[in-house]
Amino acid sequence: MAVFKEGYEMSRANNVQVIEGPATEVTFRLEPTERPLQSPPTVATQISAGSFIEPTIFHHHNHEVMTAMLQDYAHRYPHITYLYSIGQSVQGRDLWVMEISDNPGAHEQGEPEFRYVGNIHGNEVVGRELIINMIQFLCENYGHSPEITDLVDKTRIHLLPSINPDGYAKAKEGDVQGEVGRANANNVDLNRDFPDQFYEREGTLQPETKAGIQWTLAYPFVLSAGLHGGSLVANYPYDSDKLMKVMYSKCPDDAVYIQLSEAYSFEHPTMHLGHPNTQCPNVYPDETFDEGITNGAAWYNIRGGFQDWTYLHSNCFEITLELGCVKYPKGEDLPSYWNDNKMAMLKFIQQAHKGVKGFVLNPNGVGISNATIRVTGIDHNITTARDGDYWRLLIPNSYEITAFADGYAPQTQTVTVLEDWAVQVNFTLLLASSIDPQVTVPESSDPLTMPDAKWDRIYNFNLQQNFTKYLSNIDLQKKMAELRAMYSDIITLKQIGISRNNQNIVGLEMRVSNRTVNKPKVALFGGLHGNQPVGRELLWRLAQHLGEGYKQGDHLITNLLTTTTILIIPALDVDGFTIASEGKCEDTYRGDSFAESFLQNDAGHMPERPEVTAMKDLFGLDKFSLVLAIESGGVFTRYPLDNGDSTEDDDLLFDLASQYSLAHPTMHVGELCGDKAMTGGISRGSDWHRALNTIQDYVYLKQNSFMVTAHVTCCLYPDHDKLKKAWRENLEPLKTFLHLIHQGIHGHIHTVMNEPIAGATLKLQGHTMNISVDPQTAEFHRVLPPGKHYLIATAPGFMTVRRQVDIMPNQLTHITINLERELNVSYHDYNKMEVMMRTLSQKYPGLTNFKTIGRSHDLLQLWSLEISKQTGEHLPGKPEIKFIAGMHGNEVVGRELLLALAEYLLKNYQKDDIVTKLVDHTHIHFVPDMNPEGSEAAKSTEGTCVGNTGKLNTHGVDLDRDFPSNISGIIDEKVPEDETNYVMKWMNSRPFVMSVALYGGTLMVRYPYNTKDTAGKPSITPDNDVFQHLAQTYANLHPSMHLGTPACPNNVGEEFDGGIIHGASWLPYSGSMQDYNYDYLNCLELDVFVECCNYPQAKALKGLWENHQASLVEMISQVHQGIKGFVVDREREEPIEDAIISIEGREHHARTHKDGDFWKILLPGSYQVTVKADGYADKTELIHVQAEKATEVHFKLRYDKRIMGLPPVIFVILTAVIVALLVVLIIFFVVKIYRSSNTAKMKRGFYRLDGEKMYQEEYNDRVALRDFNSKDQLLSNEYHDFTDSESDNEIMFNRTS
């Protein structure tokens, strides 16, 4: 329903219901279209924990219950609430919003509007319930708490509990990290459905998305938060970038968003700690967030998110709040979520009162709607609301703020924003037509249009600029000499080379001389094409700007020049410039160009231009970390490759281009040149114009440096009067680019004694190109995009080390990488092996547990070494992996590889981040020699490739055929050897998830089964896909194993596809340890055959260790794949031991340990997982497994009170009936026995005969004798003496024939 009247704004009433009985009352509030300025609300009161009326009912609300609750509160608190629907879901459910304000249903002048949005992912329900709690809290505390009353009086608060009620209807309570119910009824993820700045979406918007968009545009929201679940962090824009890579994607209001996010995080008791794993230690154990906040794209990249769309298309600033690891917690856990988030939610609402606020008015004092508010230096404008009121969130600082509107002259004011509440700044704009030409119009604050003197004062250290002409080559050299003289303490002239026509090519090298020897270097050059001279003019002015900034003590410039060497070459193609013509915008002639001849020698073209030779010599002499070229022919920034597709450094190159584009006032919006514009103002070179042999590609491919090219004007050679605009537009981007030199890493590669390692190399994991390391000082510097990166440091004679670095925007991370000397891998007999293991245990007592797990037949100990952060006992939730070698005593390489692996892990703990993480989160066990007698017997056979000396144990038994086997359905009952027996006992004592056994004799990885089935066919395990993946992973990391052609002397033609093989398809046999692990222990074991020779020469061990190191370490990482979790009693929260975890479609199950924890290695995909335990109801969940880390799943089982499959009451009744029947049967038999006994117990002697009875008997005899056919009846009668004798001869006689 709608009501309207001339001079008033139309008012609507949604969802009016008319029922039988009294008329439904509807009240409409009409507001005048033009209202005089009212006094804005005073600042809000600080809220602190105090005496509040707290919600008392905590449970999950389905849509119907939630609707009834909202309607009830709207009815009970009509003076502060207004319930409305912004639309309906796919399935017709209303998207309810509860407005809470002292004047509900209307926007009040000067009052900011705030919103919380919940449940955009239907299975993430914490936000939904918190918003419902907040509705109760605000309503019930209004008039009771002065702070809450003040907040409601001065803020119009909109609360949307669920924008995805259909998804919620499908979600299941107890979901930790699932997907059921995440999407809407059309199976669309609503937080991927909004229009995206980098991606053209397809299809129509979902109805919930449309409702969210229309709602956002209909209200002047200032601040918003979307409430999600799955982690514990405050996430701010942007969520996406052009490359869809995990990298920091900064919006113009990055600083404001950091302040907003921290406001929530620091008020939350644990979010600000930055460790979500404290709440859910097993969901994402390694996930951390500095201060509990993150840039969205730096965490993970999404397209079509609500928060990015909101920021880009409205005045509203929105963040995303991840409220916990568990997406759909149990109802009993909801009070703790409310207690953790209540104060943070209130404090975040108050952030709408920060920054600047006010009105934009016409000369009559009436508000101007849709006027623009621009903050100088921040490329994000907002507009005024209907009454001319505005709110602009800002961090504390001084700003120039300009208000302008169509038909009015703009006005600028300087404002200082304070820490506490918003400062009010009102603007009264004069009509443009009414301004007297004699009256001075307020100066523009737009950097592009403000007067020269003002711009020079604000932005250029009062340096006056002359744009009356382009400097000739001679004038340019004079200007450079002049700059050298003016700023001689920081500028030196550098001869770069001579052009073909013998003109000098000169550069300006800028730096502050100090003791820092290896400063990172940046090169900027222009005039690469003679007919594109804008870069010449910009770069000499930049040198002047930097020199004057240093002279006047500008902090940023001083710091930049103190820590960086900057080389500025204004003009390269000096010959071409002399013949180019000003004003030619589309001239295809570029002078006598050499710009596309830097890789010509590679293509066989000669000779080389002297300018090209000079630049190549320069790049060969000086290692530049960053390079920027200034060209024309568009307004965008280009990055490599110009003749090729993506590179391994696209994330960095894209970031460099993006930073320049974003700092430019118009480039990032895709400025149109002719009919062409670049999305986001950036482009890969080959996407714009494929070109061969460019300097940009040369710098990247040949010099391993990072170069981008800024195209700064559409016109190639614009008229000189366009230079001022180009200079003003590009000064800030140029400085931004220079400062990027300090975003990344800087450090040294040292020994553990902190001595530089000459010849060290460094590269990023997954990259082929090395990072430049100084050959003498081992110092390095590398620009990196924001995010997490792994560095790999190597040096001859040292062990490789990997370090993780977290790069923050505009910050340089300093790191020293310490390398350990490489291992001395040699043979160890039994005694030396024991000494080495014992020595490692003594040297690293906090990380090791050295013990014997049993003994051989000849009483040699079977030594074991456990490595972990906590050893001795199984730590619940930490997986266990074991490495075993020496089962065949003559195959000794495995023993040495395991000893080397143990030493490698211990020496690199807290030096190598990968090793540290593995040791911290894994129980790693080593048994290097399972057959010590055999290995001792084989000592004399060193250098022998084949042979069986020492292969068997003392009894002549092959231990790898000695384990129980039931693969054919027949359980082997043979008595195992001592070694086998003790190893089995040890393996049963810990919940091993994975095992690696090392053998010799060939080069490949074998996976089970090793026996054939009853039909004689090779037996396949239910986890065959997992085994193949694990085996192939090992083989692929070995330099030659994956080739599958070991070429062993004893089997020259033997081949293994991919370097792996199914055991029973190769050499089938029974009794293997591998099959025993799988069938009896649920442990996945790989058998790695490490070398053709059983006992190679000792000198070969070093190479063998180097070949297998990466594969062995990776096996420890692989144990962290699949699913993991705990199974506990739902009511008592106690672990359930021996619960069965089954995967649909796999006839092989995992079981829980005594602590209730379990692990199951699975490949990425979706699985139906069912948990069963005696006495409990089964539980099934759909689990999504991702690569690289295990998905954690916690199962809480409900105790099944049924007895023998029956409900307790039925069982008791049935039992009572059975007992009663038994009692009746017992009584019956007792009575019967008793009667029989009494009949037999007559006393001995004579008794008076019973005449009547005798007569009857005689009568019967007579009757019987009458009938010859009845003679048998007569003969069957018996005659007794009735005595109490216990003799068996109670029958005195029988009538016989």
Side-chain angles (χ1 to χ4, degrees):
M1 299 177 65
V3 174
F4 52 91
K5 177 176 172 52
E6 185 176 356
Y8 291 86
E9 296 285 347
M10 182 176 64
S11 179
R12 299 177 183 272
N14 297 322
N15 300 296
V16 177
Q17 295 183 346
V18 178
I19 59 177
E20 291 186 2
T24 300
E25 183 174 339
V26 183
T27 301
F28 294 89
R29 295 183 178 90
L30 302 187
E31 298 184 13
T33 53
E34 286 195 357
R35 295 181 290 176
L37 174 64
Q38 299 177 356
S39 299
T42 57
V43 296
T45 305
Q46 286 281 9
I47 299 176
S48 58
S51 177
F52 297 123
I53 300 174
E54 297 287 351
T56 57
I57 299 176
F58 292 94
H59 61 79
H60 291 294
H61 297 72
N62 63 28
H63 187 73
E64 291 72 22
V65 173
M66 180 185 73
T67 299
M69 175 266 176
L70 295 175
Q71 291 173 340
D72 176 60
Y73 269 78
H75 176 73
R76 289 165 55 190
Y77 299 94
H79 58 299
I80 59 169
T81 64
Y82 174 58
L83 180 63
Y84 64 99
S85 173
I86 63 171
Q88 291 187 329
S89 67
V90 173
Q91 296 178 341
R93 295 181 174 93
D94 276 302
L95 308 179
W96 293 114
V97 177
M98 179 69 86
E99 178 196 330
I100 298 179
S101 172
D102 64 334
N103 187 18
H107 171 69
E108 295 185 75
Q109 293 182 18
E111 184 169 287
E113 306 216 11
F114 176 92
R115 74 180 185 194
Y116 275 127
V117 181
N119 208 201
I120 195 169
H121 292 142
N123 64 330
E124 297 172 10
V125 306
V126 172
R128 175 189 179 107
E129 297 304 327
L130 287 179
I131 291 174
I132 292 174
N133 293 148
M134 183 57 67
I135 292 170
Q136 302 173 42
F137 181 84
L138 294 177
C139 288
E140 294 172 3
N141 281 282
Y142 186 79
H144 170 77
S145 164
E147 294 95 340
I148 301 305
T149 303
D150 185 70
L151 182 67
V152 172
D153 284 347
K154 294 166 183 173
T155 320
R156 190 182 186 193
I157 304 168
H158 303 254
L159 303 172
L160 170 57
S162 179
I163 196 172
N164 184 9
D166 297 350
Y168 176 85
K170 295 187 291 184
K172 301 297 181 183
E173 185 173 354
D175 178 8
V176 177
Q177 289 286 313
E179 300 288 330
V180 176
R182 176 184 176 90
N184 74 344
N186 287 335
N187 200 32
V188 173
D189 187 331
L190 297 179
N191 204 40
R192 308 291 188 273
D193 193 46
F194 287 81
D196 189 89
Q197 61 179 322
F198 299 115
Y199 171 69
E200 291 293 333
R201 66 182 310 283
E202 298 178 356
T204 59
L205 297 172
Q206 296 299 300
E208 298 92 340
T209 308
K210 291 180 181 178
I213 289 174
Q214 292 168 358
W215 182 44
T216 303
L217 299 177
Y219 291 82
F221 292 116
V222 177
L223 183 60
S224 171
L227 307 188
H228 290 237
S231 189
L232 189 65
V233 67
N235 166 15
Y236 55 90
Y238 289 130
D239 273 333
S240 67
D241 60 66
K242 188 175 181 181
L243 287 183
M244 277 301 289
K245 290 194 174 184
V246 177
M247 57 187 290
Y248 202 104
S249 184
K250 184 167 66 174
C251 74
D253 281 292
D254 190 67
V256 177
Y257 270 113
I258 291 174
Q259 175 178 276
L260 293 171
S261 301
E262 288 181 342
Y264 196 99
S265 176
F266 286 134
E267 197 64 34
H268 191 283
T270 58
M271 184 183 289
H272 67 281
L273 301 176
H275 296 280
N277 53 14
T278 59
Q279 184 192 61
C280 301
N282 299 304
V283 176
Y284 298 115
D286 304 317
E287 191 167 66
T288 59
F289 302 102
D290 189 26
E291 310 289 7
I293 69 173
T294 183
N295 173 264
W299 183 22
Y300 65 93
N301 210 304
I302 70 168
R303 285 174 172 169
F306 198 1
Q307 75 173 9
D308 282 11
W309 181 90
T310 297
Y311 175 69
L312 291 167
H313 295 88
S314 74
N315 293 337
C316 185
F317 285 57
E318 179 167 305
I319 69 171
T320 298
L321 296 170
E322 301 280 347
L323 300 173
C325 320
V326 180
K327 293 184 177 181
Y328 199 147
K330 298 296 183 182
E332 58 263 30
D333 296 331
L334 292 177
S336 66
Y337 285 95
W338 170 250
N339 293 331
D340 286 347
N341 289 278
K342 173 185 67 179
M343 293 306 299
M345 292 180 73
L346 294 172
K347 287 294 179 70
F348 189 72
I349 297 174
Q350 286 193 313
Q351 298 306 302
H353 294 272
K354 297 292 183 103
V356 179
K357 66 179 181 179
F359 292 83
V360 178
L361 309 170
N362 66 20
N364 297 322
V366 177
I368 302 173
S369 65
N370 206 35
T372 299
I373 303 295
R374 181 173 63 210
V375 180
T376 300
I378 301 178
D379 187 33
H380 181 75
N381 299 336
I382 64 165
T383 56
T384 57
R386 180 187 59 195
D387 298 308
D389 43 353
Y390 74 91
W391 305 263
R392 201 350 172 148
L393 300 179
L394 292 168
I395 64 171
N397 207 337
S398 294
Y399 301 92
E400 280 195 346
I401 300 179
T402 301
F404 54 93
D406 290 342
Y408 294 88
Q411 185 185 113
T412 299
Q413 297 190 45
T414 301
V415 181
T416 299
V417 175
L418 304 176
E419 289 280 354
D420 46 18
W421 305 114
V423 60
Q424 181 159 342
V425 180
N426 296 335
F427 296 87
T428 299
L429 303 187
L430 301 178
L431 290 170
S433 59
S434 66
I435 298 177
D436 190 331
Q438 302 300 318
V439 178
T440 302
V441 179
E443 293 180 351
S444 170
S445 65
D446 184 351
L448 300 182
T449 59
M450 69 172 53
D452 292 345
K454 182 176 181 181
W455 191 91
D456 292 338
R457 172 175 51 83
I458 295 174
Y459 296 104
N460 202 28
F461 306 111
N462 274 320
L463 291 171
Q464 297 181 6
Q465 300 295 307
N466 183 352
F467 297 103
T468 58
K469 66 175 183 177
Y470 286 91
L471 296 183
S472 67
N473 289 334
I474 294 176
D475 289 339
L476 179 59
Q477 291 193 26
K478 289 180 179 179
K479 176 60 71 174
M480 294 170 71
E482 179 184 319
L483 294 176
R484 164 69 180 89
M486 291 177 61
Y487 310 110
S488 58
D489 50 344
I490 60 170
I491 293 181
T492 58
L493 287 175
K494 186 166 185 174
Q495 181 71 31
I496 305 302
I498 301 293
S499 73
R500 175 181 285 180
N501 295 337
N502 295 316
Q503 298 192 75
N504 288 325
I505 302 172
V506 183
L508 295 172
E509 187 171 84
M510 307 185 69
R511 67 173 180 170
V512 175
S513 298
N514 54 26
R515 295 181 179 179
T516 305
V517 178
N518 294 314
K519 297 179 182 179
K521 298 179 179 181
V522 186
L524 300 91
F525 58 84
L528 177 63
H529 304 289
N531 66 334
Q532 298 181 26
V534 174
R536 295 165 50 110
E537 298 296 324
L538 299 187
L539 291 183
W540 75 255
R541 285 177 167 83
L542 175 64
Q544 183 186 45
H545 176 89
L546 295 175
E548 189 64 24
Y550 176 77
K551 184 177 180 180
Q552 294 189 22
D554 181 86
H555 172 71
L556 291 177
I557 291 177
T558 300
N559 181 66
L560 178 67
L561 293 173
T562 302
T563 58
T564 315
T565 298
I566 303 171
L567 177 63
I568 297 177
I569 309 173
L572 284 178
D573 186 8
V574 290
D575 294 347
F577 174 74
T578 61
I579 57 176
S581 300
E582 182 176 346
K584 291 198 173 183
C585 291
E586 299 180 359
D587 190 355
T588 57
Y589 173 69
R590 299 180 178 181
D592 191 6
S593 179
F594 53 84
E596 295 179 6
S597 59
F598 277 83
L599 292 169
Q600 276 190 351
N601 282 347
D602 295 345
H605 298 291
M606 292 293 286
E608 189 171 75
R609 285 283 298 268
E611 296 92 339
V612 173
T613 302
M615 290 301 292
K616 286 185 176 182
D617 291 343
L618 173 67
F619 287 124
L621 182 64
D622 290 321
K623 176 60 182 177
F624 293 99
S625 297
L626 288 180
V627 181
L628 174 69
I630 306 296
E631 297 184 17
S632 296
V635 181
F636 66 99
T637 305
R638 186 178 96 240
Y639 61 93
L641 292 169
D642 290 320
N643 182 34
D645 298 319
S646 62
T647 73
E648 63 187 17
D649 292 297
D650 267 6
D651 53 350
L652 171 60
L653 296 167
F654 180 87
D655 184 60
L656 296 174
S658 296
Q659 294 298 329
Y660 194 102
S661 177
L662 286 171
H664 192 283
T666 59
M667 184 181 289
H668 64 280
V669 299
E671 185 172 333
L672 192 66
C673 287
D675 59 351
K676 194 170 186 179
M678 298 300 169
T679 303
I682 55 179
S683 175
R684 180 183 287 112
S686 58
D687 293 338
W688 171 63
H689 166 69
R690 189 171 289 267
L692 300 173
N693 308 318
T694 64
I695 187 172
Q696 184 166 259
D697 285 4
Y698 169 81
V699 167
Y700 178 74
L701 295 173
K702 298 299 183 180
Q703 296 299 323
N704 193 17
S705 294
F706 305 102
M707 175 177 169
V708 297
T709 301
H711 296 256
V712 297
T713 58
C714 294
C715 182
L716 295 179
Y717 197 154
D719 291 333
H720 61 269
D721 59 3
K722 301 295 192 300
L723 289 176
K724 180 170 72 172
K725 178 175 182 290
W727 169 236
R728 292 187 178 188
E729 287 178 333
N730 287 280
L731 174 59
E732 193 60 33
L734 287 167
K735 292 165 65 177
T736 296
F737 184 84
L738 289 174
H739 284 290
L740 289 175
I741 193 69
H742 296 299
Q743 175 182 283
I745 53 171
H746 172 266
H748 300 81
I749 302 176
H750 285 171
T751 67
V752 292
M753 303 301 294
N754 282 323
E755 298 171 343
I757 301 177
T761 60
L762 185 68
K763 69 178 180 179
L764 290 170
Q765 182 171 289
H767 288 225
T768 58
M769 290 196 292
N770 290 334
I771 296 171
S772 179
V773 179
D774 186 276
Q776 280 75 44
T777 64
E779 186 176 4
F780 60 85
H781 175 275
R782 215 285 198 167
V783 179
L784 290 171
K788 292 184 178 181
H789 306 271
Y790 277 102
L791 303 173
I792 303 175
T794 59
F798 291 85
M799 286 189 279
T800 298
V801 162
R802 290 160 296 181
R803 292 291 301 273
Q804 177 183 309
V805 289
D806 296 315
I807 303 301
M808 299 298 294
N810 305 311
Q811 292 184 17
L812 191 65
T813 299
H814 296 276
I815 181 173
T816 298
I817 302 175
N818 297 106
L819 303 187
E820 286 272 3
R821 291 284 180 183
E822 65 183 11
L823 300 178
N824 179 24
V825 187
S826 60
Y827 281 122
H828 298 76
D829 62 16
Y830 176 79
N831 291 326
K832 290 180 179 179
M833 178 190 73
E834 178 188 349
V835 170
M836 179 178 178
M837 297 174 74
R838 193 179 298 276
T839 301
L840 291 175
S841 178
Q842 293 169 350
K843 189 174 181 180
Y844 304 96
L847 298 174
T848 58
N849 180 32
F850 176 59
K851 68 176 184 178
T852 177
I853 62 172
R855 61 182 181 273
S856 67
H857 181 268
D858 291 344
L859 304 182
L860 294 179
Q861 301 298 324
L862 304 180
W863 294 113
S864 165
L865 183 69
E866 178 188 359
I867 296 177
S868 188
K869 191 175 181 179
Q870 293 173 288
T871 62
E873 293 185 358
H874 173 68
L875 185 67
K878 183 185 285 191
E880 311 236 5
I881 183 172
K882 54 185 169 68
F883 293 87
I884 299 179
M887 183 170 294
H888 295 150
N890 63 331
E891 298 169 1
V892 296
V893 175
R895 176 185 65 198
E896 305 310 331
L897 292 182
L898 294 191
L899 293 175
L901 177 60
E903 185 179 10
Y904 169 81
L905 294 176
L906 293 170
K907 283 191 171 183
N908 285 287
Y909 183 74
Q910 292 187 337
K911 298 181 184 72
D912 184 303
D913 290 334
I914 298 292
V915 168
T916 303
K917 186 180 297 185
L918 293 176
V919 171
D920 283 346
H921 296 101
T922 323
H923 290 287
I924 310 166
H925 301 260
F926 299 91
V927 177
D929 197 349
M930 184 177 163
N931 182 6
E933 279 95 353
S935 62
E936 287 296 286
K939 283 195 299 185
S940 62
T941 64
E942 181 180 341
T944 302
C945 277
V946 295
N948 293 322
T949 302
K951 177 178 181 178
L952 310 179
N953 75 343
T954 301
H955 285 166
V957 174
D958 184 340
L959 296 180
D960 198 33
R961 298 172 184 261
D962 193 44
F963 285 81
S965 175
N966 67 350
I967 189 63
S968 298
I970 302 174
I971 299 178
D972 191 349
E973 297 181 354
K974 66 183 178 184
V975 177
E977 293 293 296
D978 289 345
E979 299 91 338
T980 308
N981 209 22
Y982 281 117
V983 168
M984 287 194 299
K985 183 178 179 181
W986 169 67
M987 291 193 298
N988 278 276
S989 69
R990 302 290 284 260
F992 290 109
V993 179
M994 187 176 169
S995 177
V996 179
L998 304 187
Y999 295 83
T1002 188
L1003 187 65
M1004 58 86 170
V1005 183
R1006 180 179 67 189
Y1007 56 93
Y1009 284 120
N1010 289 300
T1011 58
K1012 295 184 177 182
D1013 59 21
T1014 53
K1017 297 180 179 180
S1019 299
I1020 306 296
T1021 69
D1023 290 299
N1024 194 59
D1025 59 336
V1026 177
F1027 275 116
Q1028 287 182 335
H1029 164 75
L1030 294 173
Q1032 198 64 68
T1033 298
Y1034 191 105
N1036 287 344
L1037 289 173
H1038 188 282
S1040 61
M1041 183 184 289
H1042 65 280
L1043 302 176
T1045 54
C1048 295
N1050 52 328
N1051 288 294
V1052 176
E1054 194 170 46
E1055 294 186 0
F1056 305 99
D1057 187 18
I1060 68 174
I1061 195 165
H1062 175 237
S1065 300
W1066 182 45
L1067 296 173
Y1069 66 97
S1070 62
S1072 70
M1073 182 171 68
Q1074 187 177 59
D1075 291 357
Y1076 172 80
N1077 270 281
Y1078 186 70
D1079 283 336
Y1080 290 84
L1081 305 178
N1082 300 309
C1083 174
L1084 277 61
E1085 179 169 289
L1086 296 181
D1087 291 345
V1088 180
F1089 291 77
V1090 297
E1091 163 65 4
C1092 290
C1093 290
N1094 291 333
Y1095 210 141
Q1097 294 286 345
K1099 62 183 180 182
L1101 291 177
K1102 180 177 181 293
L1104 291 171
W1105 161 244
E1106 293 172 351
N1107 290 343
H1108 286 275
Q1109 174 191 333
S1111 298
L1112 289 169
V1113 174
E1114 179 59 26
M1115 290 301 99
I1116 306 174
S1117 296
Q1118 288 296 314
V1119 80
H1120 292 274
Q1121 308 295 311
I1123 60 173
K1124 64 178 181 178
F1126 290 81
V1127 180
V1128 298
D1129 183 291
R1130 177 175 173 178
E1131 284 75 26
R1132 295 175 295 174
E1133 295 289 335
E1134 294 178 353
I1136 300 175
E1137 183 180 1
D1138 210 33
I1140 298 174
I1141 292 86
S1142 61
I1143 313 297
E1144 185 178 36
R1146 292 175 185 262
E1147 298 302 321
H1148 192 267
H1149 315 303
R1151 290 180 180 270
T1152 57
H1153 189 51
K1154 64 180 180 180
D1155 301 300
D1157 56 336
F1158 69 90
W1159 284 80
K1160 176 73 174 175
I1161 300 178
L1162 293 169
L1163 301 186
S1166 298
Y1167 301 88
Q1168 286 284 352
V1169 181
T1170 300
V1171 179
K1172 299 180 179 181
D1174 291 342
Y1176 292 88
D1178 298 350
K1179 189 168 186 179
T1180 300
E1181 288 190 16
L1182 177 64
I1183 306 300
H1184 301 279
V1185 175
Q1186 297 179 343
E1188 298 183 359
K1189 66 169 62 176
T1191 300
E1192 178 138 0
V1193 191
H1194 296 298
F1195 291 95
K1196 293 185 177 181
L1197 301 190
R1198 178 176 52 81
Y1199 180 68
D1200 189 351
K1201 299 179 181 179
R1202 292 183 296 179
I1203 305 172
M1204 298 179 66
L1206 298 172
V1209 174
I1210 302 298
F1211 179 81
V1212 170
I1213 294 174
L1214 185 60
T1215 302
V1217 171
I1218 293 174
V1219 170
L1221 289 174
L1222 289 173
V1223 170
V1224 170
L1225 288 173
I1226 291 171
I1227 293 173
F1228 172 78
F1229 283 111
V1230 169
V1231 170
K1232 183 175 181 181
I1233 293 171
Y1234 177 78
R1235 288 177 177 174
S1236 299
S1237 175
N1238 282 343
T1239 303
K1241 291 182 179 179
M1242 292 293 189
K1243 294 183 178 180
R1244 294 178 184 274
F1246 297 92
Y1247 296 90
R1248 185 174 180 174
L1249 298 175
D1250 186 338
E1252 183 178 354
K1253 185 175 181 181
M1254 291 177 63
Y1255 173 81
Q1256 184 64 39
E1257 288 181 351
E1258 183 178 356
Y1259 174 78
N1260 289 340
D1261 288 344
R1262 288 176 182 174
V1263 172
L1265 289 172
R1266 288 178 189 168
D1267 189 353
F1268 178 77
N1269 292 330
S1270 300
K1271 186 176 181 179
D1272 290 341
Q1273 178 69 25
L1274 176 63
L1275 295 176
S1276 69
N1277 288 338
E1278 298 174 347
Y1279 295 85
H1280 303 257
D1281 68 341
F1282 300 98
T1283 70
D1284 58 359
S1285 171
E1286 293 182 0
S1287 170
D1288 291 334
N1289 299 321
E1290 293 178 355
I1291 300 177
M1292 300 300 295
F1293 60 89
N1294 263 349
R1295 285 182 175 150
T1296 61
S1297 56

